[in-house]
Structures are given as structure tokens and as C-alpha cells.
Amino acid sequence: MFRSLTGYFSNDLAIDLGTANTLIYMRGKGIVLDEPSVVAIHSDVPTNKKSILAVGLEAKRMLGRTPGSIQAIRPMKDGVIADFTVTEQMLKQFIKKVNPNRFFAASPRIVICVPCGSTQVERKAIRDSALAAGARRVELIEEPMAAAIGAGLPVEEPTGSMVVDIGGGTTEVGVISLGGVVYSNSVRVGGDKFDEAIINYIRRNYGMLIGETTAEEIKKTIGSAFPGAEVREMEVKGRNLAEGIPRAFTVSSNEILEALTEPLNQIVSAVKIALEQTPPELGADIADKGMVLTGGGALLKDIDRLLAEETGLPVFVAEEPLTCVVRGSGKALEKMDKIGTIFTNVP
Amino acid sequence: MEQEANGQSTRLGVGAALKAAREQAGMSLGEVAERLKLSVRQLDAIEKDDFQQLPGATFVRGFVRNYARFLKVDAEPLMAQLEEHFPSAVNDVVNLVKHDPSSEPASMAETLARVSSPAGGTGKAGKWLLLLLLVAAVAGGALWLAGRQDGSAPAPAQTLQPMLTQQAASAPAASAPASVLAPAAASAAVVAEPATTPAVASQPSAQPAAKVSPAVTASAAAALGASKAPASAAAADGATGHIQLNAQQAAWVSVIDGTGKKLQYGTLEAGSSKELTGTPPFQLKIGNAAQVQLSFNGQPVALTDKIRGTTAKIELK
């Protein structure tokens, strides 16, 4: 009884706990937080005591630029929790940020999304860390479902919709009909793998070492998934492996395309496998409507073109792909009391 | 909002604009279909603005955007035109990104201070304080009840009652605070006195308590009147918008002015009228709107064409 009473004062949240970014939607308010999933930890050497220095944007600025006593960590890897305690702390800080202490501060109900390929153990870890961060109740929603709702696909109708969510750590392919996931597949390829591929390519071909942040910058500026008419160039600074001295050099969009071929092929094959596994009636619907791309990876230039050419189906990028998943979870949260079927049942 | 005015004409523009761009580029529907992987039937439907043929709002928007991008046409104006009939999924849920960079802690010292201080402490203390207050309130109430029972046995407490009602009648506007004040004062006095001599002690102490209340009511009434007068005067002086509402039947009305203040939020009784002043623009919601007459700055405003069901929503500027 007391719990239902306190529920009246709590702000329910929907969280997209992503590898790259964490977004929080607050019931009735909209998206209230959009920050990188990075935590900076300060460890005091004499006492061996660790404390959180910064989370989010501020911590991301420290990535790769920290002295010995500070560690900037990305606690999520491949869409799942890699460091349980740090993730829990990060969630706590984020929740506190959007839910400033009020007199009637009650613990919120939280909808949180999980990659469809995550194991039961990984799901339990996410659930537990949300509970430890102060949630009263936790509902899990599969990412393809949240992405489809956020992209505005007719998920509750008896028609097949296909969504490809290319996140920081994973790419989720889902076929949805009648409010349920008919087929889903998750490959651990995403924005991070793109960055990694760029780093490796540049080390191999230029003998230069660049950091993750620089690689991300290259990807965002001149990265593309399909050969275009214009070739763009960018000046990059890195450390020359042979000389051991920082140097500047120029890379072109064609080289980055070559570097990205391998991770992109994995995404393409995941999509093709999904199409193979889809029941024929739903396949017909998808042939008519095509597939929708969401997530940060959808912003890679011409990735829709690549998938369209590879599958021969219409492909388009959802509007505001970065916030699709959290908006979808938010919509599920708003309807939580009416529909329960879209949440996954986990122990 | 501005699309409402030119809704029909612009709607016809989307397909025509794309068709013109395609013809200018010298491409056939087949070539476009080959490139976009859409069927010729679907492209034809887009160019004819026959969007019912297409699967739904999200797809209409996606296809049109892809088509426009392929033809190197700026998709944004087309999207804006589609917004009215095929709203973007983005606007489905309230989408307020409240990312405020100024809220970021400026220095590392600040960050450290924030992290090291036990932030949960204040919230917990607040909860304990609330609990303490609750306990205090319950204890106080019980004590008051006990005191009243003690005092009601002898006569004086009963003589207090008619006195109170007399005063209440003399100042009806402030009767509620008076009657609340008086027994509270009386009971406080009763509780304060030792219970050994209740009959003797409570009579004189109750008397002055009751005598206090007329003064209280009088001053309260005066204060009420005084506060009312300057308020209305000030409103008339700085008035930028003036609304008059006449209700023939009871109607629920909400009026919110430009500063977000609720000027009116409740039911107007049948036959009553209400004058409101505030800063425009006003957001009005009127239930049972057929029975309400509205005038704004002296000009009557017709509600009939704003009524949906029985409710009218209107904005006055």
C-alpha cells in the first residue's frame, strides 16, 4: 500500500543504457538526459580508496587523457555490462542528475532496454544494477522492439516490420509483428568496431597510431559505407610507430570505406540471415515496406544505400535515429499500465 | 500551426515537386525505382500524392526523404509539408532534450566535492523529519481530543459554543478561521491548566480566548478586504488582456495566461459571470462551451466553431 502511494510521487524513467550513450526519458517530461556512458574514477593511492570523479560528457573528455590516478572507463561493452559496480554507480549518478532530491523522493519504476542477444545472466546484471541504483521495479524491453516503437513502425498491427538498430556495441536486427518480436538477431558489431577497424587500418597502412576519439572523429567526418561520387579528405594527427613522434597525415574517404568493409559485411550478413529466417508472409510485408535503420550507426553516410543494394529492398533511416530506442522505451513506459506484453519476462 | 492555413494546397506540392525534380534530372520512374528499390507503383503513388497506397506515416516520410535525397532536393520543406497528415514519430512523445551545459560542474574540485559528500543524506533526513512531523501531529491531535473531553464535562466549554456562533454570524466571511482559532486557543488553555481544578481554571481562561477571536476576525476581514482592493486595482492598471465569461449553465473553465498562471481553474456556476485580467496570450479550455459566452477586451468571441464534443479550446492573443 505504502509503495503504491509513494509511486504517486516518483518519476518513472525509461533508460537506454547503451554502449556509447545513455539516454533517459522521464514520464511526462521527455528526454531529460543524453550523455556518453563513461565514468572517470579517481583512486587514492595511499588509502587505495576509489571514488567517482565524473560521469557522462565530462568523463568522456577525459578518455585517453588521464594521469595514473584517474581511470576513464566505459563500463558497457558490446551492449552489456562489463563492469558491474561502475555501471551501477553510473546509473545512480545519472538518475540523481535527472531526479534532484525532493522532499517526497520516491524510487522510480524503470524501463530499461537490453540487447536481444544478451544472455539471462547479462539481463539479470542490468536488472540488478538498476535495482541497486534505486529503482522500485524494473521492466526490460528488447532493443529492436524499443527501436521499432521509437521509429514509429506499426508494431501492434498484423504486418511485419523490420528494424536494424546499429548501436555503439551491437547491431540488432528485429522483425516485429502484432506487438511481439518474431525474429531477432544481434551481432556484436557497432560504432566501436568501426572505430577499431579504422585504428587498425591506419596502423597497418600508415604505421601511425591514433586514439579511439580520433578514430571516431574520422568516422563521423569522412566515413561512409558505400562508394560515393566525391572523395573527401581529412587531416589526422597520430604517433608514428617507427619514429615514435606525433605526425600529421591525410586520409581519404575511400580508405575509410575500405577500413570499414569488414564490420559492415558482418552487419549485412546479419540482415541477410534475418531475411532468410523471416516467415514468408512477413517477408512479403518487408519487401513492400523495407527496413528502417536506427541507432548511431545509421548516421554513417550511405549505410542505407549499402543495405538497399545488398538486399534489394527499400531501406531508410529513421528520423532522429540516436534517440529512437529511448523514445520507444519511453512510449512503452507511458503505456506500461495498459500493455505488458512488450516487456520481456526474465527471472 | 502555419501549415493549417495552407494545408490542402501544400499537400499537393510534395509529389509534384519530386516529379518536377525527377523530370529535370531526366530520369524515368524505372531508373528511380531501380535505385531506391521501391516499386514503380509506390513511386507513382508518391508523385501523385496518393499516400494511402503506402504503408504508413513513417514509411511515407522515409520514402519521400530518400527520394528527395536521391534527386538532391532539400527534403526538409517536404517533411514540413508532410507533418500535418503524416506526423513524425519524433513528436509522438514529448521530446525535450534538457541538456544544460551550465549544470556541468566547472572544476575538478567541485566534482570531487560533489562526489565525496554523501548525497543521499539530505533525502533520508527529510524522510525522517516527515515521519517525526507525522508522529507529532498524531500525538498533538490525541492530546487535543483528550483535553476537549476533560473540558466538556464542566459547563464553561458549552457556553463557549454559542458565543462562537454569534461571532461567526457577525463576520461570516471569516467564520472559518475564527471557529478554528477559538477552540484551539481554548483547548490550549485547558491543556495548559492542571487537570486537578478543571471547572475553575478553564472558565476564566476560555473567556479571554473567546474574546480574542472577534478581534482576530475583524482584522482578518479587514485584511481580506484590503488585499482584494489593491489586487484588483493593480490588475486594472497593468492590464494587458481582459476576459469576461458568462455561464448560462454550470461550466468547467480553465484560463491560463501568458506567464503560465492559472487565472481560473474550476467550475463556473450556472448564471454566474467572471472577469479575469492577465498577460496574454491566454489558453482557455471551456467545458459545456455552448452555454458560455466569452468576451475578450470587450469584444465577444464566438465559441461555436471551436467546440469539439462539448469542450472548446481557444487561444486568445
Side-chain angles (χ1 to χ4, degrees), chain B residues 26-312:
Chain B
M27 267 181 287
S28 71
L29 269 183
E31 283 172 273
V32 180
E34 167 60 27
R35 165 65 195 273
L36 293 180
K37 315 292 173 198
L38 288 168
S39 67
V40 175
R41 175 184 60 79
Q42 283 171 319
L43 283 173
D44 197 43
I46 291 175
E47 290 194 350
K48 286 183 179 149
D49 281 331
D50 185 10
F51 296 124
Q52 305 310 319
Q53 301 279 322
L54 298 171
T58 308
F59 298 96
V60 169
R61 293 177 71 86
F63 291 166
V64 168
R65 192 145 32 87
N66 269 7
Y67 195 177
R69 202 181 56 170
F70 172 54
L71 295 170
K72 298 194 171 64
V73 177
D74 185 12
E76 284 316 309
L78 300 180
M79 288 294 115
Q81 285 170 23
L82 283 175
E83 185 66 42
E84 195 190 334
H85 296 274
F86 300 97
S88 159
V90 176
N91 303 331
D92 265 14
V93 285
V94 254
N95 191 17
L96 322 155
V97 179
K98 280 191 186 163
H99 188 69
D100 186 8
S102 65
S103 70
E104 301 281 329
S107 70
M108 200 152 278
E110 255 179 75
T111 315
L112 272 169
R114 185 195 57 185
V115 171
S116 56
S117 73
T122 52
K124 287 246 170 67
K127 274 180 191 165
W128 281 112
L129 201 71
L130 183 74
L131 203 69
L132 212 72
L133 275 173
L134 263 170
V135 169
V138 169
L143 223 63
W144 178 68
L145 268 176
R148 215 168 83 140
Q149 271 161 11
D150 275 357
S152 66
Q158 270 163 14
T159 58
L160 195 72
Q161 214 55 33
M163 249 194 291
L164 276 175
T165 47
Q166 270 172 16
Q167 281 144 18
S170 67
S175 67
S179 57
V180 170
L181 265 176
S187 67
V190 170
V191 171
E193 293 299 324
T196 47
T197 55
V200 192
S202 62
Q203 193 161 23
S205 65
Q207 212 69 333
K211 283 218 174 98
V212 170
S213 46
V216 171
T217 56
S219 63
L224 263 175
S227 67
K228 215 172 211 168
S232 56
D237 286 346
T240 38
H242 186 82
I243 293 175
Q244 173 142 23
L245 291 154
N246 292 319
Q248 272 124 16
Q249 289 180 17
W252 187 90
V253 178
S254 137
V255 179
I256 297 169
D257 78 349
T259 59
K261 203 172 127 200
K262 282 179 182 167
L263 298 177
Q264 159 75 19
Y265 197 77
T267 313
L268 283 184
E269 293 306 321
S272 68
S273 64
K274 189 133 194 166
E275 287 190 23
L276 301 162
T277 15
T279 336
F282 298 93
Q283 303 287 345
L284 278 82
K285 268 186 216 162
I286 304 174
N288 198 9
Q291 302 301 326
V292 176
Q293 280 157 6
L294 169 68
S295 65
F296 179 56
N297 288 338
Q299 301 287 324
V301 180
L303 286 172
T304 42
D305 54 336
K306 305 275 188 203
I307 298 176
R308 298 277 176 276
T310 58
T311 317

Side-chain angles (χ1 to χ4, degrees), chain A residues 165-180:
Chain A
D165 178 48
I166 307 167
T170 57
T171 293
E172 317 263 325
V173 186
V175 177
I176 288 155
S177 175
L178 281 170

Side-chain angles (χ1 to χ4, degrees), chain A residues 7-28:
Chain A
Y8 186 74
F9 300 106
S10 77
N11 290 322
D12 294 347
L13 304 172
I15 303 180
D16 171 14
L17 187 61
T19 315
N21 292 298
T22 296
L23 289 91
I24 300 186
Y25 172 99
M26 190 185 280
R27 189 173 204 154

